[in-house]
PDB file of all heavy atoms in Angstrom:
ATOM      1  N   ARG A   1     165.297 -40.042  46.550  1.00  0.00           N
ATOM      2  CA  ARG A   1     164.390 -39.011  47.025  1.00  0.00           C
ATOM      3  C   ARG A   1     163.170 -39.707  47.610  1.00  0.00           C
ATOM      4  O   ARG A   1     162.691 -40.696  47.063  1.00  0.00           O
ATOM      5  CB  ARG A   1     163.989 -38.098  45.877  1.00  0.00           C
ATOM      6  CG  ARG A   1     163.226 -36.881  46.314  1.00  0.00           C
ATOM      7  CD  ARG A   1     163.077 -35.906  45.198  1.00  0.00           C
ATOM      8  NE  ARG A   1     162.170 -36.463  44.191  1.00  0.00           N
ATOM      9  CZ  ARG A   1     161.683 -35.764  43.185  1.00  0.00           C
ATOM     10  NH1 ARG A   1     162.029 -34.519  43.011  1.00  0.00           N
ATOM     11  NH2 ARG A   1     160.854 -36.321  42.325  1.00  0.00           N
ATOM     12  N   VAL A   2     162.658 -39.196  48.736  1.00  0.00           N
ATOM     13  CA  VAL A   2     161.477 -39.760  49.378  1.00  0.00           C
ATOM     14  C   VAL A   2     160.361 -38.731  49.320  1.00  0.00           C
ATOM     15  O   VAL A   2     160.527 -37.603  49.773  1.00  0.00           O
ATOM     16  CB  VAL A   2     161.771 -40.146  50.849  1.00  0.00           C
ATOM     17  CG1 VAL A   2     160.555 -40.793  51.481  1.00  0.00           C
ATOM     18  CG2 VAL A   2     162.966 -41.075  50.938  1.00  0.00           C
ATOM     19  N   MET A   3     159.210 -39.148  48.773  1.00  0.00           N
ATOM     20  CA  MET A   3     158.051 -38.260  48.690  1.00  0.00           C
ATOM     21  C   MET A   3     156.949 -38.823  49.577  1.00  0.00           C
ATOM     22  O   MET A   3     156.637 -40.023  49.490  1.00  0.00           O
ATOM     23  CB  MET A   3     157.590 -38.138  47.248  1.00  0.00           C
ATOM     24  CG  MET A   3     158.602 -37.387  46.395  1.00  0.00           C
ATOM     25  SD  MET A   3     158.246 -37.464  44.649  1.00  0.00           S
ATOM     26  CE  MET A   3     158.655 -39.133  44.292  1.00  0.00           C
ATOM     27  N   TYR A   4     156.396 -37.960  50.434  1.00  0.00           N
ATOM     28  CA  TYR A   4     155.346 -38.383  51.365  1.00  0.00           C
ATOM     29  C   TYR A   4     154.529 -37.176  51.773  1.00  0.00           C
ATOM     30  O   TYR A   4     154.916 -36.032  51.539  1.00  0.00           O
ATOM     31  CB  TYR A   4     155.955 -39.063  52.600  1.00  0.00           C
ATOM     32  CG  TYR A   4     156.772 -38.142  53.476  1.00  0.00           C
ATOM     33  CD1 TYR A   4     156.232 -37.606  54.639  1.00  0.00           C
ATOM     34  CD2 TYR A   4     158.079 -37.791  53.149  1.00  0.00           C
ATOM     35  CE1 TYR A   4     156.964 -36.757  55.453  1.00  0.00           C
ATOM     36  CE2 TYR A   4     158.815 -36.950  53.949  1.00  0.00           C
ATOM     37  CZ  TYR A   4     158.257 -36.441  55.101  1.00  0.00           C
ATOM     38  OH  TYR A   4     158.990 -35.594  55.900  1.00  0.00           O
ATOM     39  N   THR A   5     153.378 -37.437  52.409  1.00  0.00           N
ATOM     40  CA  THR A   5     152.526 -36.376  52.910  1.00  0.00           C
ATOM     41  C   THR A   5     152.754 -36.252  54.415  1.00  0.00           C
ATOM     42  O   THR A   5     152.461 -37.199  55.159  1.00  0.00           O
ATOM     43  CB  THR A   5     151.046 -36.697  52.641  1.00  0.00           C
ATOM     44  OG1 THR A   5     150.890 -36.938  51.239  1.00  0.00           O
ATOM     45  CG2 THR A   5     150.150 -35.551  53.073  1.00  0.00           C
ATOM     46  N   PRO A   6     153.299 -35.124  54.891  1.00  0.00           N
ATOM     47  CA  PRO A   6     153.546 -34.979  56.326  1.00  0.00           C
ATOM     48  C   PRO A   6     152.247 -34.800  57.110  1.00  0.00           C
ATOM     49  O   PRO A   6     151.218 -34.444  56.543  1.00  0.00           O
ATOM     50  CB  PRO A   6     154.425 -33.732  56.420  1.00  0.00           C
ATOM     51  CG  PRO A   6     154.149 -32.977  55.180  1.00  0.00           C
ATOM     52  CD  PRO A   6     153.740 -33.970  54.128  1.00  0.00           C
ATOM     53  N   GLY A   7     152.323 -35.074  58.410  1.00  0.00           N
ATOM     54  CA  GLY A   7     151.166 -34.915  59.280  1.00  0.00           C
ATOM     55  C   GLY A   7     151.044 -36.095  60.221  1.00  0.00           C
ATOM     56  O   GLY A   7     151.755 -37.084  60.095  1.00  0.00           O
ATOM     57  N   PRO A   8     150.120 -35.997  61.189  1.00  0.00           N
ATOM     58  CA  PRO A   8     149.954 -37.097  62.139  1.00  0.00           C
ATOM     59  C   PRO A   8     149.300 -38.317  61.479  1.00  0.00           C
ATOM     60  O   PRO A   8     148.533 -38.182  60.538  1.00  0.00           O
ATOM     61  CB  PRO A   8     149.048 -36.507  63.221  1.00  0.00           C
ATOM     62  CG  PRO A   8     148.313 -35.420  62.536  1.00  0.00           C
ATOM     63  CD  PRO A   8     149.234 -34.880  61.479  1.00  0.00           C
ATOM     64  N   VAL A   9     149.647 -39.488  61.998  1.00  0.00           N
ATOM     65  CA  VAL A   9     149.067 -40.735  61.513  1.00  0.00           C
ATOM     66  C   VAL A   9     148.311 -41.360  62.683  1.00  0.00           C
ATOM     67  O   VAL A   9     148.893 -41.631  63.732  1.00  0.00           O
ATOM     68  CB  VAL A   9     150.145 -41.703  61.003  1.00  0.00           C
ATOM     69  CG1 VAL A   9     149.529 -42.982  60.466  1.00  0.00           C
ATOM     70  CG2 VAL A   9     150.997 -41.036  59.936  1.00  0.00           C
ATOM     71  N   ALA A  10     147.020 -41.576  62.514  1.00  0.00           N
ATOM     72  CA  ALA A  10     146.205 -42.153  63.579  1.00  0.00           C
ATOM     73  C   ALA A  10     146.564 -43.623  63.789  1.00  0.00           C
ATOM     74  O   ALA A  10     147.100 -44.281  62.898  1.00  0.00           O
ATOM     75  CB  ALA A  10     144.727 -42.019  63.233  1.00  0.00           C
ATOM     76  N   ALA A  11     146.264 -44.129  64.974  1.00  0.00           N
ATOM     77  CA  ALA A  11     146.533 -45.521  65.302  1.00  0.00           C
ATOM     78  C   ALA A  11     145.795 -46.440  64.336  1.00  0.00           C
ATOM     79  O   ALA A  11     144.617 -46.257  64.072  1.00  0.00           O
ATOM     80  CB  ALA A  11     146.120 -45.815  66.739  1.00  0.00           C
ATOM     81  N   GLY A  12     146.515 -47.406  63.788  1.00  0.00           N
ATOM     82  CA  GLY A  12     145.917 -48.362  62.862  1.00  0.00           C
ATOM     83  C   GLY A  12     145.929 -47.932  61.411  1.00  0.00           C
ATOM     84  O   GLY A  12     145.655 -48.736  60.534  1.00  0.00           O
ATOM     85  N   LEU A  13     146.238 -46.670  61.133  1.00  0.00           N
ATOM     86  CA  LEU A  13     146.266 -46.192  59.753  1.00  0.00           C
ATOM     87  C   LEU A  13     147.685 -46.247  59.204  1.00  0.00           C
ATOM     88  O   LEU A  13     148.644 -46.481  59.934  1.00  0.00           O
ATOM     89  CB  LEU A  13     145.698 -44.786  59.653  1.00  0.00           C
ATOM     90  CG  LEU A  13     144.214 -44.648  59.999  1.00  0.00           C
ATOM     91  CD1 LEU A  13     143.758 -43.218  59.777  1.00  0.00           C
ATOM     92  CD2 LEU A  13     143.374 -45.607  59.183  1.00  0.00           C
ATOM     93  N   GLN A  14     147.817 -45.996  57.915  1.00  0.00           N
ATOM     94  CA  GLN A  14     149.122 -46.075  57.272  1.00  0.00           C
ATOM     95  C   GLN A  14     149.332 -44.924  56.313  1.00  0.00           C
ATOM     96  O   GLN A  14     148.391 -44.276  55.887  1.00  0.00           O
ATOM     97  CB  GLN A  14     149.261 -47.404  56.549  1.00  0.00           C
ATOM     98  CG  GLN A  14     148.248 -47.616  55.447  1.00  0.00           C
ATOM     99  CD  GLN A  14     148.212 -49.045  54.969  1.00  0.00           C
ATOM    100  OE1 GLN A  14     148.519 -49.961  55.705  1.00  0.00           O
ATOM    101  NE2 GLN A  14     147.827 -49.237  53.720  1.00  0.00           N
ATOM    102  N   VAL A  15     150.613 -44.700  55.981  1.00  0.00           N
ATOM    103  CA  VAL A  15     151.020 -43.644  55.065  1.00  0.00           C
ATOM    104  C   VAL A  15     151.921 -44.292  54.019  1.00  0.00           C
ATOM    105  O   VAL A  15     152.678 -45.217  54.322  1.00  0.00           O
ATOM    106  CB  VAL A  15     151.802 -42.543  55.816  1.00  0.00           C
ATOM    107  CG1 VAL A  15     152.380 -41.533  54.876  1.00  0.00           C
ATOM    108  CG2 VAL A  15     150.921 -41.866  56.831  1.00  0.00           C
ATOM    109  N   GLU A  16     151.830 -43.820  52.792  1.00  0.00           N
ATOM    110  CA  GLU A  16     152.694 -44.337  51.732  1.00  0.00           C
ATOM    111  C   GLU A  16     153.890 -43.418  51.550  1.00  0.00           C
ATOM    112  O   GLU A  16     153.745 -42.198  51.454  1.00  0.00           O
ATOM    113  CB  GLU A  16     151.927 -44.462  50.411  1.00  0.00           C
ATOM    114  CG  GLU A  16     150.888 -45.551  50.421  1.00  0.00           C
ATOM    115  CD  GLU A  16     150.219 -45.723  49.072  1.00  0.00           C
ATOM    116  OE1 GLU A  16     150.457 -44.908  48.150  1.00  0.00           O
ATOM    117  OE2 GLU A  16     149.439 -46.676  48.945  1.00  0.00           O
ATOM    118  N   LEU A  17     155.072 -44.028  51.496  1.00  0.00           N
ATOM    119  CA  LEU A  17     156.302 -43.314  51.180  1.00  0.00           C
ATOM    120  C   LEU A  17     156.725 -43.759  49.792  1.00  0.00           C
ATOM    121  O   LEU A  17     156.870 -44.957  49.544  1.00  0.00           O
ATOM    122  CB  LEU A  17     157.414 -43.663  52.172  1.00  0.00           C
ATOM    123  CG  LEU A  17     157.135 -43.490  53.657  1.00  0.00           C
ATOM    124  CD1 LEU A  17     158.317 -43.989  54.462  1.00  0.00           C
ATOM    125  CD2 LEU A  17     156.861 -42.045  53.984  1.00  0.00           C
ATOM    126  N   GLU A  18     156.903 -42.821  48.883  1.00  0.00           N
ATOM    127  CA  GLU A  18     157.360 -43.179  47.547  1.00  0.00           C
ATOM    128  C   GLU A  18     158.865 -42.956  47.480  1.00  0.00           C
ATOM    129  O   GLU A  18     159.347 -41.830  47.639  1.00  0.00           O
ATOM    130  CB  GLU A  18     156.651 -42.364  46.474  1.00  0.00           C
ATOM    131  CG  GLU A  18     156.985 -42.855  45.092  1.00  0.00           C
ATOM    132  CD  GLU A  18     156.177 -42.173  44.009  1.00  0.00           C
ATOM    133  OE1 GLU A  18     155.149 -41.560  44.319  1.00  0.00           O
ATOM    134  OE2 GLU A  18     156.596 -42.266  42.843  1.00  0.00           O
ATOM    135  N   ILE A  19     159.598 -44.041  47.271  1.00  0.00           N
ATOM    136  CA  ILE A  19     161.052 -43.995  47.171  1.00  0.00           C
ATOM    137  C   ILE A  19     161.404 -43.923  45.697  1.00  0.00           C
ATOM    138  O   ILE A  19     161.051 -44.812  44.925  1.00  0.00           O
ATOM    139  CB  ILE A  19     161.707 -45.253  47.799  1.00  0.00           C
ATOM    140  CG1 ILE A  19     161.102 -45.576  49.162  1.00  0.00           C
ATOM    141  CG2 ILE A  19     163.216 -45.095  47.855  1.00  0.00           C
ATOM    142  CD1 ILE A  19     161.315 -44.550  50.214  1.00  0.00           C
ATOM    143  N   GLU A  20     162.082 -42.861  45.314  1.00  0.00           N
ATOM    144  CA  GLU A  20     162.446 -42.653  43.915  1.00  0.00           C
ATOM    145  C   GLU A  20     163.960 -42.613  43.800  1.00  0.00           C
ATOM    146  O   GLU A  20     164.644 -42.008  44.630  1.00  0.00           O
ATOM    147  CB  GLU A  20     161.848 -41.317  43.447  1.00  0.00           C
ATOM    148  CG  GLU A  20     161.970 -41.070  41.978  1.00  0.00           C
ATOM    149  CD  GLU A  20     161.297 -39.767  41.588  1.00  0.00           C
ATOM    150  OE1 GLU A  20     160.084 -39.776  41.326  1.00  0.00           O
ATOM    151  OE2 GLU A  20     162.002 -38.728  41.574  1.00  0.00           O
ATOM    152  N   ILE A  21     164.489 -43.284  42.781  1.00  0.00           N
ATOM    153  CA  ILE A  21     165.938 -43.275  42.563  1.00  0.00           C
ATOM    154  C   ILE A  21     166.220 -42.902  41.116  1.00  0.00           C
ATOM    155  O   ILE A  21     165.570 -43.405  40.196  1.00  0.00           O
ATOM    156  CB  ILE A  21     166.586 -44.641  42.926  1.00  0.00           C
ATOM    157  CG1 ILE A  21     168.108 -44.571  42.777  1.00  0.00           C
ATOM    158  CG2 ILE A  21     166.000 -45.772  42.118  1.00  0.00           C
ATOM    159  CD1 ILE A  21     168.842 -45.756  43.358  1.00  0.00           C
ATOM    160  N   PHE A  22     167.170 -41.969  40.954  1.00  0.00           N
ATOM    161  CA  PHE A  22     167.668 -41.633  39.633  1.00  0.00           C
ATOM    162  C   PHE A  22     168.989 -42.371  39.499  1.00  0.00           C
ATOM    163  O   PHE A  22     169.937 -42.097  40.235  1.00  0.00           O
ATOM    164  CB  PHE A  22     167.862 -40.122  39.470  1.00  0.00           C
ATOM    165  CG  PHE A  22     168.456 -39.741  38.146  1.00  0.00           C
ATOM    166  CD1 PHE A  22     167.699 -39.860  36.985  1.00  0.00           C
ATOM    167  CD2 PHE A  22     169.756 -39.301  38.056  1.00  0.00           C
ATOM    168  CE1 PHE A  22     168.239 -39.521  35.757  1.00  0.00           C
ATOM    169  CE2 PHE A  22     170.302 -38.957  36.831  1.00  0.00           C
ATOM    170  CZ  PHE A  22     169.548 -39.081  35.679  1.00  0.00           C
ATOM    171  N   ALA A  23     169.054 -43.342  38.604  1.00  0.00           N
ATOM    172  CA  ALA A  23     170.236 -44.197  38.464  1.00  0.00           C
ATOM    173  C   ALA A  23     171.377 -43.415  37.832  1.00  0.00           C
ATOM    174  O   ALA A  23     171.326 -43.081  36.652  1.00  0.00           O
ATOM    175  CB  ALA A  23     169.894 -45.429  37.634  1.00  0.00           C
ATOM    176  N   MET A  24     172.381 -43.119  38.660  1.00  0.00           N
ATOM    177  CA  MET A  24     173.562 -42.418  38.155  1.00  0.00           C
ATOM    178  C   MET A  24     174.787 -43.007  38.834  1.00  0.00           C
ATOM    179  O   MET A  24     174.710 -43.517  39.956  1.00  0.00           O
ATOM    180  CB  MET A  24     173.470 -40.919  38.428  1.00  0.00           C
ATOM    181  CG  MET A  24     173.386 -40.556  39.871  1.00  0.00           C
ATOM    182  SD  MET A  24     173.220 -38.786  40.055  1.00  0.00           S
ATOM    183  CE  MET A  24     173.048 -38.658  41.811  1.00  0.00           C
ATOM    184  N   LEU A  25     175.913 -42.941  38.141  1.00  0.00           N
ATOM    185  CA  LEU A  25     177.153 -43.467  38.686  1.00  0.00           C
ATOM    186  C   LEU A  25     177.803 -42.433  39.585  1.00  0.00           C
ATOM    187  O   LEU A  25     177.875 -41.255  39.245  1.00  0.00           O
ATOM    188  CB  LEU A  25     178.105 -43.869  37.562  1.00  0.00           C
ATOM    189  CG  LEU A  25     177.610 -45.015  36.682  1.00  0.00           C
ATOM    190  CD1 LEU A  25     178.592 -45.282  35.559  1.00  0.00           C
ATOM    191  CD2 LEU A  25     177.414 -46.265  37.505  1.00  0.00           C
ATOM    192  N   ILE A  26     178.276 -42.885  40.747  1.00  0.00           N
ATOM    193  CA  ILE A  26     178.882 -41.974  41.716  1.00  0.00           C
ATOM    194  C   ILE A  26     180.378 -41.840  41.466  1.00  0.00           C
ATOM    195  O   ILE A  26     180.911 -40.759  41.341  1.00  0.00           O
ATOM    196  CB  ILE A  26     178.609 -42.452  43.155  1.00  0.00           C
ATOM    197  CG1 ILE A  26     177.103 -42.495  43.409  1.00  0.00           C
ATOM    198  CG2 ILE A  26     179.303 -41.552  44.174  1.00  0.00           C
ATOM    199  CD1 ILE A  26     176.712 -43.184  44.692  1.00  0.00           C
ATOM    200  N   GLY A  27     181.077 -42.962  41.386  1.00  0.00           N
ATOM    201  CA  GLY A  27     182.534 -42.952  41.221  1.00  0.00           C
ATOM    202  C   GLY A  27     182.927 -42.854  39.768  1.00  0.00           C
ATOM    203  O   GLY A  27     182.178 -43.218  38.865  1.00  0.00           O
ATOM    204  N   GLY A  28     184.154 -42.386  39.529  1.00  0.00           N
ATOM    205  CA  GLY A  28     184.633 -42.249  38.164  1.00  0.00           C
ATOM    206  C   GLY A  28     185.422 -43.451  37.685  1.00  0.00           C
ATOM    207  O   GLY A  28     185.750 -43.561  36.521  1.00  0.00           O
ATOM    208  N   LYS A  29     185.732 -44.405  38.583  1.00  0.00           N
ATOM    209  CA  LYS A  29     186.569 -45.540  38.206  1.00  0.00           C
ATOM    210  C   LYS A  29     185.738 -46.621  37.510  1.00  0.00           C
ATOM    211  O   LYS A  29     184.527 -46.711  37.679  1.00  0.00           O
ATOM    212  CB  LYS A  29     187.271 -46.108  39.433  1.00  0.00           C
ATOM    213  CG  LYS A  29     186.337 -46.625  40.512  1.00  0.00           C
ATOM    214  CD  LYS A  29     187.151 -47.108  41.686  1.00  0.00           C
ATOM    215  CE  LYS A  29     186.271 -47.697  42.770  1.00  0.00           C
ATOM    216  NZ  LYS A  29     185.422 -46.789  43.457  1.00  0.00           N
ATOM    217  N   ASP A  30     186.424 -47.469  36.759  1.00  0.00           N
ATOM    218  CA  ASP A  30     185.756 -48.553  36.043  1.00  0.00           C
ATOM    219  C   ASP A  30     185.442 -49.679  37.021  1.00  0.00           C
ATOM    220  O   ASP A  30     186.340 -50.205  37.675  1.00  0.00           O
ATOM    221  CB  ASP A  30     186.664 -49.055  34.912  1.00  0.00           C
ATOM    222  CG  ASP A  30     185.989 -50.129  34.085  1.00  0.00           C
ATOM    223  OD1 ASP A  30     184.751 -50.109  33.995  1.00  0.00           O
ATOM    224  OD2 ASP A  30     186.710 -50.981  33.530  1.00  0.00           O
ATOM    225  N   THR A  31     184.172 -50.051  37.123  1.00  0.00           N
ATOM    226  CA  THR A  31     183.752 -51.086  38.075  1.00  0.00           C
ATOM    227  C   THR A  31     183.258 -52.333  37.363  1.00  0.00           C
ATOM    228  O   THR A  31     182.520 -53.122  37.946  1.00  0.00           O
ATOM    229  CB  THR A  31     182.648 -50.541  39.008  1.00  0.00           C
ATOM    230  OG1 THR A  31     181.570 -50.074  38.195  1.00  0.00           O
ATOM    231  CG2 THR A  31     183.166 -49.445  39.905  1.00  0.00           C
ATOM    232  N   GLY A  32     183.615 -52.505  36.105  1.00  0.00           N
ATOM    233  CA  GLY A  32     183.197 -53.697  35.380  1.00  0.00           C
ATOM    234  C   GLY A  32     181.773 -53.618  34.868  1.00  0.00           C
ATOM    235  O   GLY A  32     181.145 -54.637  34.631  1.00  0.00           O
ATOM    236  N   GLY A  33     181.228 -52.423  34.730  1.00  0.00           N
ATOM    237  CA  GLY A  33     179.896 -52.261  34.171  1.00  0.00           C
ATOM    238  C   GLY A  33     178.766 -52.269  35.173  1.00  0.00           C
ATOM    239  O   GLY A  33     177.622 -52.067  34.806  1.00  0.00           O
TER     240      GLY A  33
END
């Protein structure tokens, strides 16, 4: 999930994007841990 504040960004300024991950297994097969 990406959390950020939308809107214009002026030249030379920056915006922080917070990248969040919930660790969960996608496949049902055994992948060796």
Side-chain angles (χ1 to χ4, degrees):
R1 189 170 69 170
V2 183
M3 292 170 288
Y4 66 100
T5 305
V9 182
L13 295 184
Q14 62 193 28
V15 173
E16 290 184 353
L17 306 176
E18 188 173 343
I19 314 296
E20 189 177 273
I21 184 169
F22 176 71
M24 61 182 177
L25 296 177
I26 300 169
K29 61 182 183 292
D30 183 29
T31 57

